[in-house]
Amino acid sequence: MVADWSNLPEELLNLISVRLFSVLELQRFRSICTSWRRSSVPGTPFQSRRRLFHFDSISPSSPETFLSHNAFFRVSLSSSPSKGWIIKSDMDIVNSGRFYLLHPLLLCPLHCYFESIDLLEFTVSEIQEACVVLDEAKARVTTPGFERSVLVQLNVGGDHHHGVLGVGWDGDINYWDGNIFWKLEQKSDPHFADIIVHKGVTCVLDSQGIVWCISSDLEFSRYGTTSVDETVTNGCWGDMRFVECGRDLYVVERLPKVNPQMRKANIGTRKYSRTVGFKVYKMDEVLVKWVEVKTLGDKAFLMASDTCFSVSAQDFYGCLENSIYFFEKLCTKVFKLDNGNGNGRIISSKSSKSCFQMFSPSFF
């Protein structure tokens, strides 16, 4: 006997709807049939929390460290779904549980003339998530030990616990279980640059471009035997990021305009000097080594402060394929790779607006 899902009791549909996490899940729920769409009309507690993005500033009053969940969405007009924009949101879990708009590449809140926007008028899909450990919500101040973070599940004494692993400003790996912070010890004590959960495995990247895996009992093991070319990284940590593209793992290295000796000696100079380009490497899982990539094809990489990810350029207004978007010195920039040779040029949003359209939705 085949069940008629359209005739489920209203109470059961409401129980399903309140367990949905994202706007994308809500859209899928509402598209099942007429009765499911009507069950989640404005007026239910879930709708009042989920169906609007609020544009006022985030201002939770909790002074304590807390975990913030950020999400990136593709938003397009129903009349023109082939092209869209990227927006980024955070949920104010401390107070209202509502969504707030953030700068796509940073953690700071955006301000808008509109109080809110009804997402049900648009086609919305979630494309990336990130977690951030904050010391101060209103100013979006990250905890020093968790510049880049991931959620993990650990096996401690046979019991499973959820927590956060992060890379600190000093290059150390730290763990937080919601109450206690502690630093993970590594025998060789390398400096780490980034962290990611790739295909269910927690991976960290050190200063030589070596990938280490962290097990559920917080033990380190080296992934492969090779590293990114030292003549490129120069032993520098903090300038490299993980990026997932499809099922493949990449490393993107920022190349700053700075003397090589200064890169090793001064963290601040290394981190905030002007970017002159990027190098991209792809993990060859057969050979278990990094291979330099000269072109990204129709993809664009977005280097946000809390996570990095790839998108298909054709899906977004103005997005340049074979490029890397990043933020530097109060300005959004894009590094356009030249096909085949790995070189490129940097375009600033101060001099060109067309290739940054995807960050400026028409409804703002």
Side-chain angles (χ1 to χ4, degrees), residues 6-17:
S6 64
N7 290 326
L8 290 180
E10 183 78 14
E11 294 80 8
L12 182 56
L13 292 177
N14 287 334
L15 287 175
I16 295 173
S17 68

Side-chain angles (χ1 to χ4, degrees), residues 269-282:
T269 300
R270 198 166 58 225
K271 221 168 181 47
Y272 299 107
S273 58
R274 181 170 64 87
T275 300
V276 295
F278 290 88
K279 291 286 186 180
V280 181
Y281 304 87
K282 178 181 177 181

Side-chain angles (χ1 to χ4, degrees), residues 195-359:
I195 186 168
I196 195 174
V197 177
H198 177 64
K199 297 182 179 179
V201 178
T202 302
C203 302
V204 288
L205 181 69
D206 74 9
S207 60
Q208 302 299 324
I210 298 173
V211 177
W212 299 82
C213 301
I214 303 179
S215 66
S216 61
D217 55 0
L218 298 181
E219 293 293 328
F220 287 83
S221 61
R222 182 165 171 170
Y223 182 83
T225 58
T226 60
S227 64
V228 172
D229 188 353
E230 271 196 77
T231 62
V232 177
T233 64
N234 220 355
C236 169
W237 60 275
D239 290 326
M240 294 181 289
R241 303 290 299 274
F242 278 128
V243 179
E244 274 189 328
C245 184
R247 297 286 290 172
D248 295 319
L249 185 62
Y250 291 75
V251 163
V252 176
E253 187 197 16
R254 185 180 76 92
L255 304 177
K257 185 179 181 180
V258 65
N259 184 284
Q261 283 72 31
M262 294 179 66
R263 291 182 72 188
K264 292 184 177 182
N266 190 301
I267 295 175
T269 300
R270 198 166 58 225
K271 221 168 181 47
Y272 299 107
S273 58
R274 181 170 64 87
T275 300
V276 295
F278 290 88
K279 291 286 186 180
V280 181
Y281 304 87
K282 178 181 177 181
M283 173 58 71
D284 186 319
E285 297 192 357
V286 176
L287 301 177
V288 196
K289 70 175 186 178
W290 293 111
V291 178
E292 187 172 354
V293 175
K294 301 296 185 179
T295 177
L296 304 179
D298 66 346
K299 303 295 185 182
F301 285 178
L302 272 66
M303 315 299 290
S305 58
D306 48 356
T307 188
C308 300
F309 58 99
S310 66
V311 297
S312 294
Q314 62 183 1
D315 292 337
F316 298 91
Y317 288 108
C319 185
L320 296 180
E321 63 179 24
N322 193 32
S323 63
I324 299 171
Y325 283 83
F326 64 105
F327 191 87
E328 181 177 72
K329 295 184 178 179
L330 304 177
C331 184
T332 306
K333 299 181 179 180
V334 58
F335 178 73
K336 174 65 175 175
L337 280 78
D338 290 335
N339 287 319
N341 60 17
N343 297 320
R345 59 192 175 93
I346 292 178
I347 305 170
S348 171
S349 59
K350 292 182 179 179
S351 60
S352 174
K353 302 295 183 182
S354 60
C355 54
F356 301 96
Q357 292 179 57
M358 64 176 173
F359 301 125

Side-chain angles (χ1 to χ4, degrees), residues 5 7 21 28 47 61 66 71 89 112 124 146 201 265 267 274 283 329 343 358 363:
W5 295 100
N7 290 326
F21 175 76
R28 289 172 174 168
Q47 278 288 347
S61 57
F66 69 98
S89 75
C112 185
V124 181
F146 294 83
V201 178
I267 295 175
R274 181 170 64 87
M283 173 58 71
K329 295 184 178 179
N343 297 320
M358 64 176 173
F363 48 80

